[in-house]
Amino acid sequence: DIAAEYDTQPWQRKMAMTLTHGVQERLDWFGVKWKDEGEAEGEEGKREVKLLDYACGSGMVSRALMPVVTTIRGIDISSNMVDAYNARARASNLSQLQMSAVVGDLFATPPSPSLSGPEYTDFDVAAVGLGFHHFEDPALAIKRLAERLKVGTGVLVILDFLPHINDNNNGGPGGGVPEAMRHTIKHDGFDKEGMRKLFEAAGFEDFGYEILTEPVTLKSHGEERVRRVFIAKGRRKPTVWARLTQWVSSTQDGVSEQVQRSLGRPGA
């Protein structure tokens, strides 16, 4: 219902700017091999960098990462949000191949059949921007998102709220969930150890968790709340076979170097 007016209020625009800055200043920290600045769009043989923006809404995360990826796929359960997302993408002169969203649910049993194609697998990065607290089963959510990432290199990024008790609200004014929204908000927020356990249980390594310096203000149903936002990230672990292949490759490189040295020909 609010898709047509989403991101139009001053407080929404300010929040989007705060989150965008928080994402963009941590590009190196995420550990993703982003698109090279010198790579021209449409360049033959260029490396593809795929982003999955889940619970994409109107596309805040997609727009924040657009300069460093080549392909973006958004997914949301709201058809109106998907329409708003795609309208913004077209207004930015991006083709459907470059940036587009569809209606779907990865957490259904089974996931939406429309998401079974190759365009919805092998992502370099998957992100959820302020949608994680809406998910009924966070553990299932992270496992399903992990399945869509490249093994060994794919990175999951989650932006969401700290619990109110860690949010300087302490249950006082501005704290808690508005009565009118309690049917959609499933979790109060997530602390560092809780997120670490979720990531590790889903097969991620290189876990990181940082809290944005600037809080955000939300206004809804006549209430105003100030919240702190964290960014969590982790890399999908390589399979046992991938680790073995990597070990064999490094061993072969080491043997080759020793042979070259024994022959008096340092360097290959």
Side-chain angles (χ1 to χ4, degrees), residues 1-260:
D1 292 342
I2 65 173
E5 300 179 357
Y6 205 71
D7 289 346
T8 61
Q9 300 299 315
W11 67 267
Q12 293 172 325
R13 291 195 293 269
K14 183 177 180 181
M15 180 172 68
M17 289 177 60
T18 298
L19 300 180
T20 297
H21 179 69
V23 168
Q24 292 180 340
E25 70 177 1
R26 289 172 172 80
L27 292 179
D28 291 340
W29 179 70
F30 292 140
V32 177
K33 190 176 181 181
W34 304 109
K35 180 181 74 173
D36 294 333
E37 290 185 7
E39 282 184 321
E41 292 297 331
E43 182 181 349
E44 186 176 355
K46 74 172 183 178
R47 179 173 51 85
E48 185 178 35
V49 184
K50 294 174 58 179
L51 165 67
L52 169 61
D53 187 352
Y54 194 78
C56 61
S58 62
M60 183 276 296
V61 171
S62 293
R63 292 190 294 275
L65 293 176
M66 186 168 53
V68 292
V69 299
T70 61
T71 306
I72 306 175
R73 293 292 174 263
I75 301 173
D76 203 290
I77 62 172
S78 165
S79 59
N80 287 343
M81 280 297 189
V82 166
D83 289 344
Y85 181 104
N86 287 328
R88 289 194 174 202
R90 302 298 83 79
S92 299
N93 295 319
L94 294 170
S95 70
Q96 189 170 351
L97 288 175
Q98 290 173 303
M99 180 176 171
S100 61
V102 297
V103 176
D105 187 352
L106 281 180
F107 311 148
T109 304
S112 301
S114 60
L115 305 178
S116 61
E119 66 270 34
Y120 296 106
T121 60
D122 287 332
F123 287 94
D124 297 277
V125 57
V128 182
L130 298 189
F132 206 69
H133 58 280
H134 292 293
F135 300 160
E136 188 80 43
D137 188 341
L140 174 65
I142 288 191
K143 289 179 181 177
R144 291 281 175 86
L145 289 167
E147 293 168 357
R148 303 292 167 144
L149 289 166
K150 289 181 177 177
V151 177
T153 60
V155 172
L156 175 62
V157 175
I158 294 177
L159 292 82
D160 217 281
F161 300 119
L162 272 69
H164 279 98
I165 194 169
N166 297 327
D167 213 13
N168 298 323
N169 283 318
N170 298 319
V177 176
E179 184 67 32
M181 299 183 68
R182 288 180 181 171
H183 67 293
T184 65
I185 297 176
K186 307 301 181 181
H187 305 277
D188 174 55
F190 304 89
D191 61 21
K192 182 176 182 178
E193 287 311 306
M195 290 304 297
R196 182 192 299 276
K197 290 177 181 178
L198 288 169
F199 270 77
E200 291 179 350
F204 285 93
E205 59 186 5
D206 191 25
F207 173 78
Y209 182 103
E210 293 192 356
I211 300 171
L212 300 191
T213 302
E214 184 179 355
V216 299
T217 299
L218 300 92
K219 297 181 181 181
S220 178
H221 299 87
E223 297 185 32
E224 180 175 304
R225 289 160 292 139
V226 177
R227 300 297 306 267
R228 298 298 301 277
V229 175
F230 70 84
I231 301 183
K233 59 99 177 184
R235 179 181 292 104
R236 186 180 180 187
K237 289 182 180 179
T239 61
V240 173
W241 174 251
R243 289 184 185 275
L244 178 61
T245 302
Q246 185 180 29
W247 177 80
V248 170
S249 177
S250 63
T251 301
Q252 289 175 337
D253 289 343
V255 170
S256 176
E257 184 178 350
Q258 289 179 7
V259 170
Q260 293 292 337

